Amino acid sequence: MKTGFAAAFGLCLALPVAIPEEPAPLAGFSADSARAEREWEAKFRAIPDPALLRAYMERLSARPHHVGSPYDRDNAEWLLGKFREWGLDAHVENFDVLFPTPKERLLEMVAPTHFVARIEEPTVAVDPTSSQHDEQLPTYNAYSIDGDVTGPLVYVNFGVPDDYETLDRYGVSVKGAIVIARYGGSWRGIKPKVAAEHGAIGCLIYSDPRDDGYAPGQVFPAGPYRPKDGVQRGSVMDMPIYPGDPLTPGVGATPQATRLPLDQAVTLTKIPVMPISYADAQPLMAALEGPVAPAPWRGGLPVTYRLGPGPAQVHLKLKFNWDQKPLYDVIARIPGAVYPDEWIIRGNHHDAWVNGAEDPISGTIAELEEARAMAELLKQGWKPKRTIIFCVWDGEEPGLLGSTEWAEEHDAELRSHAAMYINSDSNSRGYLGVEGSHSLEHFINGVARDIPDPESNVTVWKRVQFQRIAGAGEGRMMMPQTDRAEARTRPDLRIGALGSGSDYTAFLDHVGVASLNLGFGGEDGGGIYHSIYDDFYWYTHFSDTTFVYGRALAQTAGTAVMRLAGADLLPFDFHDLADTLHRYVDEVEKLAHEKRDQTIERNRQIDDGVFAALEDPHVTMLPPPKEPVPPFLNFAPLENGLAALEHESQAFEQAAAHTAANGGSALARAELKDVNDRLTVFERAFLSSDGLPSRPWFKHQIYAPGLYTGYGVKTLPAVREAIEQKQWKLADEEIARVGKVLENAADAIRGATAALKQATM
Ligand SMILES: [Zn+2]
C-alpha cells in the first residue's frame, strides 16, 4: 500500500519533514493568544523522542500484564513513578472488578474421529518473551460462562443475524448444536449472543487464515501474520448492554459498592464460548458434512467449507475462577490557570491480554511522552488555561473496566467539568485515523493540518486527503465513505462516528463528554492481535520500527490537548455537526423506505413462486418467510429537531465569526466563563436520561455501538435499530424522542450564542 501510494505521488521518504504552510488563524484564540499558543505548541512537538518511546515499550511489554497479574501492578507503579519524576501531581485509583480466568479448558471432537485441540500458543525461538508461559493467560474468551456441552457442529460463517437467515434457507438449525464461527463481520461478543438466541449450546470462534493468517502474507516469525497455533483472546461480555464490571452497572466498583450476585450479571454469555487457532479449527471443519457453504462464507483453510450439522460431534468443557481482581488506573493532573473547572482528559489503557506491545503499549507510550513534554513546558512557564488530566487505564481488554468504573465513580464531576476526552489505543505506521464527536470535526482537522507526516513530505492531514482522493489504502480506523470530489473541496475531512471498542465509551455514551479517538495505521498488516506474539520483538520487526509514528501520535494528541486547554473560547463548531446529523437523518429515512420496498418486492416474489421455481431441485433451499409490510413512519419530529439545530448552528457561527474580526480583539477582552461553561457541557444535550431502548446505560442519542454489531457504530441508534429490527411502533416513538433531543441541542447552542454575544458585544 505504501509503495503504490508513494510512487503515484512521487514522494520521497528520505526528504526532511515539511513545515506546514502559513499558519491559519486558530479558532477560539485572539491573534495574540494564537501567537503564544503556536510558540508553545512548536516547543511541545520538538520534545517527543522515538528513542524514549522505544525504551518505554520495552519496559512496559517485558512481561505479561493482564488484569490481576503482578506485572500489571508493577507497570502501574512505574507509570506513577514517571509522572511524579516529571513533577506532575499523580495518583493511582483502585477498583475491584469481576475478572474470570480459566480453571479448566477442553475441546475435543468425539465423532466421527477423535481429536483433542491443542489450545496453546507455542514459543517461537527468535522471540524472547513468547516463552513466558508461566505468566501468560491461557487462550480464552473472558466472561464466557462455565459449561460442559457435547453436540453436533454447525458452521455459521461470522455468526451474525443475517447468517442465521441463510442457514434457515438451507434448512440447517443450530438448536442443541455447538457452532463454529470465524472472526470478523462483527465484534466477537456478538457471535455467542446470537448463537444462544438461536438455541446453540456452545460456541467456538476461530481465526481464519484468509483474514490474518497465511493468505495476506507470511506468518510469524517470517512475517507479521498469524501463525497456525496463534489465537485471538478477547472479551465476550455483552458490552452493548453495558461495559465495565458486570457486578456494578452504573456505579464505580469501589470496595463499598453494592454488587449484583453473579447469576444476575446479564452481560455474561448465555453459552460457553472459546477462541481457537486455525490449526485447531481445520480438523473440525474438515469433519463437517451437509450443504457446501455459500461462496462468501468460504475462508482460507484447505478444506471444503460445509455447514453441517455434524457428523462432527464436539465436546467443549470450560470452568473459570470467578474472582474479583484489583484495577490500577493511573491519573495525573495539570491544574488549569484560568478555567480550572473545565477539564480536558487524555487516556489510553496500559493492561494487555499478554505482553501487548502493539495493543495497547504503542498508544500508551505516546501518551507518556505527551505528559513528559507538557511537564517540561510547565517548567518553562507554560500555563494551560484549563485543567488537563492524563489517565492510563487498567482493565480495558476484559471490558473497558478501568475507564468505565472511573467514569461511573466520577460521573457527577465529569458532568459538570469534562469538556473533552481524547483517546488512543494502539498505533502503527500510516494514515491518521480520527473518529469522534462531530462538534470537534473542524477542530481536529485544524490540528491535523499542523502535524508533519514522518515518512512523506506532507502534513498528516494532506496525506489522508490524498488517500481519499486516490481511493488508495484502507485507513485502519473506520472513515466514513467520502467521494473524491468532496475530498478535494470540502474544507474539513469527515471524521467517523464512534462505536465502541475502547475507553472513550463511558465518556461519550454514558456521561456525554465530547470525545475523539486518534491513531495512525493502515500500512502494516499483522495477525498477532491478542496473542502471545504481540510483543516487543514483533513490534520492532514488523510495525513502527523507528517509532516515528509513535512520535506523530504524541504530537497530534498532545497538540489537540494543548489547544483545547489553551483556547480563549472552546473551539466547538456546530457547522460540521449539523451537516453530519443531516446525513444521519437522511440515512434512517432512506432505510425505512428501502425496508418497505424490499418487503413488498420479496413478498410478491414469494407469492409468484419465484424462489420455488428458481431453486435447484437437487439442493434443499427453502423460500424466505413472508413478512408484514412495514408502515410509513412519521419522520417530522426528527426533521423539525434537525431544522432547529441547523438554524442555531448558523447563528452561533455568525457570532463566532464576529469575535474573530479585528484580530479577535473581542475575545481578548471578553469575560468568557459563561459561554465556555455552556460549551463544556454542550454534548450532554444529546443524552436522554432513559437511555436507549433495552439498554439504559447507553444515554447518547446520536452515537452507540450496535446491539448486533458490537464495535460497529449505529448513529441515531434508537431509531435506526428499531427500523432494522422491524419494531415499527418503537421506531415511531423513538423518532419523537430523538427529535426532542435535537431540539434540546439546538436550545443549548442558542444559549451559547446568546452568552457569546453578551460577552463580546
Ligand atoms: Zn487496546
Side-chain angles (χ1 to χ4, degrees):
M1 213 175 299
K2 169 67 168 226
T3 342
F5 182 86
F9 289 89
L11 300 176
C12 173
L13 303 187
L15 284 178
V17 291
I19 308 297
E21 328 70 67
E22 183 63 19
L26 284 182
F29 288 81
S30 70
D32 285 344
S33 53
R35 206 169 301 117
E37 173 67 20
R38 284 200 182 278
E39 278 173 24
W40 284 117
E41 287 181 8
K43 281 184 191 161
F44 165 81
R45 288 196 289 270
I47 297 175
D49 178 356
L52 283 174
L53 292 166
R54 183 185 170 97
Y56 300 154
M57 177 180 282
E58 190 164 18
R59 142 81 220 188
L60 289 165
S61 66
R63 286 168 52 191
H65 52 105
H66 52 271
V67 169
S69 66
Y71 207 63
D72 176 71
R73 179 181 184 159
D74 201 68
N75 271 347
E77 282 165 2
W78 183 83
L79 290 162
L80 178 69
K82 280 285 158 199
F83 284 132
R84 288 186 172 163
E85 177 190 322
W86 299 328
L88 299 178
D89 169 21
H91 67 280
V92 167
E93 209 162 318
N94 294 112
F95 297 98
D96 292 308
V97 294
L98 180 72
F99 179 59
T101 52
K103 188 152 49 174
E104 204 178 330
R105 299 173 309 141
L106 170 69
L107 171 63
E108 58 180 345
M109 180 160 64
V110 293
T113 54
H114 192 235
F115 160 75
V116 181
R118 176 173 189 173
I119 51 175
E120 248 174 46
E121 299 179 295
T123 301
V124 164
V126 295
D127 176 359
T129 61
S130 68
S131 65
Q132 297 166 332
H133 298 292
D134 290 350
E135 291 180 75
Q136 292 165 356
L137 274 176
T139 56
Y140 79 116
N141 285 134
Y143 305 101
S144 161
I145 56 161
D146 292 344
D148 185 351
V149 291
T150 303
L153 192 66
V154 175
Y155 175 55
V156 297
N157 190 33
F158 296 125
V160 298
D162 279 355
D163 294 329
Y164 288 88
E165 284 181 24
T166 304
L167 285 170
D168 283 345
R169 297 205 53 209
Y170 280 96
V172 173
S173 162
V174 302
K175 274 213 175 61
I178 294 175
V179 304
I180 182 165
R182 54 177 171 153
Y183 268 113
S186 77
W187 172 63
R188 79 179 76 71
I190 301 301
K191 299 165 195 282
K193 169 165 148 173
V194 180
E197 287 174 1
H198 287 82
I201 57 170
C203 178
L204 302 172
I205 311 175
Y206 80 100
S207 299
D208 196 286
R210 196 187 72 169
D211 301 324
D212 65 358
Y214 51 69
Q218 285 203 290
V219 303
F220 189 68
Y225 288 95
R226 195 176 297 275
K228 67 183 174 54
D229 292 305
V231 177
Q232 183 190 136
R233 289 160 189 73
S235 177
V236 286
M237 179 197 285
D238 199 352
M239 281 187 264
I241 304 297
Y242 62 87
D245 179 21
L247 304 184
T248 60
V251 298
T254 55
Q256 61 278 6
T258 315
R259 284 173 166 75
L260 295 173
L262 191 57
D263 61 4
Q264 282 177 34
V266 296
T267 55
L268 310 186
T269 65
K270 306 291 180 281
I271 56 175
V273 47
M274 183 159 75
I276 59 174
S277 66
Y278 55 88
D280 279 339
Q282 187 171 328
L284 305 179
M285 295 292 285
L288 284 175
E289 291 178 14
V292 172
W297 288 35
R298 299 171 202 157
L301 287 170
V303 304
T304 302
Y305 282 66
R306 299 173 77 168
L307 303 178
Q313 289 277 328
V314 168
H315 175 211
L316 173 64
K317 187 174 184 194
L318 294 173
K319 265 190 136 155
F320 299 94
N321 304 299
W322 292 95
D323 296 337
Q324 295 209 15
K325 291 282 157 78
L327 293 181
Y328 304 92
D329 286 343
V330 188
I331 313 289
R333 188 182 286 255
I334 299 174
V338 180
Y339 302 117
D341 290 336
E342 294 173 10
W343 300 350
I344 309 301
I345 307 170
R346 167 77 174 103
N348 195 106
H349 67 104
H350 67 79
D351 71 297
W353 275 117
V354 196
N355 297 76
E358 183 194 54
D359 182 5
I361 300 302
S362 59
T364 321
I365 57 179
E367 186 189 357
L368 262 190
E369 271 298 77
E370 292 158 40
R372 182 180 72 86
M374 286 184 211
E376 197 133 306
L377 298 188
L378 288 170
K379 287 173 197 150
Q380 296 173 25
W382 174 60
K383 286 194 173 61
K385 291 191 177 69
R386 296 182 179 79
T387 295
I388 297 169
I389 303 176
F390 287 102
C391 305
V392 199
W393 308 116
D394 199 355
E396 190 270 355
E397 292 297 355
L400 319 178
L401 303 172
S403 56
T404 301
E405 298 312 318
W406 192 83
E408 289 176 343
E409 177 66 15
H410 298 282
D411 191 312
E413 294 163 86
L414 288 169
R415 270 171 212 271
S416 344
H417 302 309
M420 262 151 242
Y421 175 68
I422 297 181
N423 191 69
S424 61
D425 181 350
S426 305
N427 195 57
S428 65
R429 294 188 319 123
Y431 309 96
L432 175 65
V434 184
E435 302 159 290
S437 299
H438 289 86
S439 51
L440 295 172
E441 182 171 274
H442 181 65
F443 167 75
I444 197 65
N445 268 266
V447 172
R449 285 175 211 269
D450 289 339
I451 312 297
D453 181 85
E455 293 190 346
S456 65
N457 192 27
V458 294
T459 65
V460 300
W461 186 92
K462 199 75 187 165
R463 201 143 187 262
V464 174
Q465 187 199 26
F466 281 168
Q467 177 197 31
R468 292 184 185 184
I469 290 170
E474 330 155 340
R476 183 176 60 103
M477 301 279 177
M478 271 167 293
M479 288 293 189
Q481 289 283 317
T482 320
D483 65 62
R484 177 170 294 158
E486 188 186 82
R488 282 209 169 92
T489 56
R490 191 175 188 262
D492 292 330
L493 297 170
R494 292 187 186 279
I495 66 171
L498 283 169
S500 185
S502 195
D503 291 308
Y504 48 77
T505 307
F507 289 93
L508 180 65
D509 296 337
H510 188 65
V511 189
V513 181
S515 299
L516 289 172
N517 189 47
L518 305 174
F520 289 87
E523 284 180 319
D524 294 310
I528 45 72
Y529 179 60
H530 292 183
S531 78
I532 65 170
Y533 312 113
D534 177 0
D535 59 18
F536 188 68
Y537 178 89
W538 180 89
Y539 197 87
T540 53
H541 284 77
F542 299 112
S543 190
D544 179 22
T545 55
T546 56
F547 290 85
V548 291
Y549 278 96
R551 180 179 59 194
L553 177 58
Q555 290 170 332
T556 309
T559 299
V561 167
M562 287 179 70
R563 204 171 281 184
L564 291 166
D568 298 312
L569 179 67
L570 276 168
F572 279 95
D573 176 276
F574 304 112
H575 178 271
D576 287 351
L577 172 70
D579 177 39
T580 306
L581 288 174
H582 199 125
R583 283 159 66 107
Y584 295 162
V585 170
D586 286 352
E587 280 170 20
V588 292
E589 290 191 25
K590 192 162 160 247
L591 179 69
H593 280 117
E594 282 173 0
K595 278 269 178 213
R596 194 182 145 82
D597 293 348
Q598 283 164 2
T599 308
I600 291 170
E601 175 61 25
R602 195 154 91 157
N603 285 351
R604 181 175 170 181
Q605 289 186 12
I606 296 166
D607 284 342
D608 290 350
V610 171
F611 289 94
L614 288 184
E615 292 313 341
D616 179 346
H618 295 247
V619 181
T620 310
M621 265 309 240
L622 309 169
K626 268 182 80 169
E627 279 176 19
V629 174
F632 287 107
L633 299 175
N634 174 18
F635 283 98
L638 210 46
E639 287 176 354
N640 287 329
L642 177 66
L645 191 139
E646 285 176 325
H647 177 79
E648 295 304 336
S649 84
Q650 278 167 17
F652 183 85
E653 206 179 346
Q654 279 165 13
H658 170 76
T659 67
N662 305 320
S665 54
L667 282 184
R669 57 182 155 73
E671 171 47 66
L672 293 165
K673 183 169 186 312
D674 182 32
V675 58
N676 276 320
D677 283 350
R678 288 169 183 273
L679 292 170
T680 295
V681 301
F682 167 73
E683 189 88 9
R684 259 73 98 196
F686 288 126
L687 302 185
S688 146
S689 55
D690 306 336
L692 298 177
S694 78
R695 40 180 181 151
W697 188 92
F698 282 89
K699 306 212 179 289
H700 206 293
Q701 298 297 315
I702 310 300
Y703 316 110
L707 204 48
Y708 286 98
T709 55
Y711 286 174
V713 67
K714 294 287 174 183
T715 54
L716 304 176
V719 175
R720 195 181 295 263
E721 292 195 320
I723 296 170
E724 286 174 348
Q725 290 158 27
K726 304 165 189 168
Q727 293 172 295
W728 310 115
K729 188 170 163 289
L730 181 67
D732 246 337
E733 290 163 12
E734 294 303 319
I735 288 169
R737 221 152 61 96
V738 179
K740 182 75 182 65
V741 164
L742 294 185
E743 308 234 4
N744 294 344
D747 287 347
I749 298 173
R750 188 184 315 120
T753 309
L756 181 59
K757 283 184 171 161
Q758 174 86 27
T760 56
M761 237 164 17

